[in-house]
Amino acid sequence: MCLFARRDHCWTVKLASFQLCSLESLAQMDDLCFRIQIIRDMAFIYEPVAMDGPSTSVLFDWGSPTDNQATAMYIQTIIAGNNIFHTFTLPSKKDKAGQTLWYYIGAHVWTLISPMPIWQSTSEKGKRVFVNRLRKRCNGKYSENNLGQMIEDGQLEPFCVEVSISKQAELS
């Protein structure tokens, strides 16, 4: 079982023990990539960054071009049959009770999109936030200066997924 939340509601979703282990392994990774696990029609994204728009949102994280390509192939293989997923995110911040819960954000149509010029359009303060977040995620494997330089040099780039609600997704 796994605990999930949406707004003021909490519930559990029954998952097999190997699926729970797979989800828990997302937190143990220290490489920099878009951390995702897809189970049936559910997509679980570990600590993504979100940019919300009026009708769509973009979920992204930083990864090497090689890791991003592998992630894209993983997602494309699965969405070949259906690109609508019940989408869950695990934010980096704990809730008011000090717990970390997966949040259900809804049934969404998933579309892989080209990397956006996020770094170039981010303020210096925002860049520091990204770098600090990445440093925590890789367990201090890289210094803040190294991470900033890796992004500047293109060794890390954003991996982006557009998620949107459509009439078809609302029915699923």
Side-chain angles (χ1 to χ4, degrees):
M1 297 249 207
C2 199
L3 189 61
F4 299 96
R6 181 170 187 181
R7 297 187 187 113
D8 294 330
H9 304 289
C10 275
W11 66 93
T12 57
V13 173
K14 194 168 193 155
L15 297 173
S17 60
F18 74 92
Q19 293 167 324
L20 285 174
C21 287
S22 180
L23 287 180
E24 290 169 1
S25 74
L26 294 174
Q28 307 306 316
M29 298 169 62
D30 68 355
D31 48 337
L32 300 170
C33 61
F34 188 80
R35 298 180 190 188
I36 181 172
Q37 180 67 43
I38 298 175
I39 301 171
R40 299 184 303 269
D41 64 344
M42 298 177 287
F44 300 87
I45 306 128
Y46 183 86
E47 296 184 352
V49 179
M51 295 186 299
D52 295 321
S55 60
T56 65
S57 295
V58 174
L59 302 176
F60 78 92
D61 208 338
W62 302 95
S64 71
T66 303
D67 285 337
N68 289 352
Q69 184 178 15
T71 302
M73 288 175 53
Y74 169 68
I75 295 170
Q76 286 171 332
T77 300
I78 294 170
I79 67 174
N82 181 16
N83 68 337
I84 298 172
F85 293 104
H86 293 279
T87 306
F88 298 82
T89 64
L90 185 78
S92 57
K93 294 183 180 179
K94 296 182 184 224
D95 69 5
K96 293 176 185 175
Q99 293 183 316
T100 305
L101 300 173
W102 287 95
Y103 284 87
Y104 178 63
I105 61 171
H108 291 280
V109 175
W110 278 46
T111 307
L112 297 179
I113 59 173
S114 299
M116 301 170 67
I118 295 163
W119 187 255
Q120 297 82 347
S121 59
T122 302
S123 69
E124 288 304 314
K125 181 179 178 183
K127 288 179 180 179
R128 284 192 302 277
V129 169
F130 282 140
V131 167
N132 287 332
R133 182 179 170 278
L134 288 172
R135 189 154 198 274
K136 286 179 188 172
R137 297 244 346 243
C138 71
N139 297 315
K141 193 175 180 177
Y142 303 101
S143 72
E144 292 174 16
N145 288 339
N146 285 352
L147 289 165
Q149 195 60 51
M150 290 167 73
I151 294 170
E152 291 284 341
D153 294 345
Q155 295 173 52
L156 292 175
E157 58 185 30
F159 179 85
C160 304
V161 175
E162 180 183 83
V163 293
S164 59
I165 295 179
S166 74
K167 292 291 181 195
Q168 190 178 13
E170 289 174 1
L171 298 174
S172 67

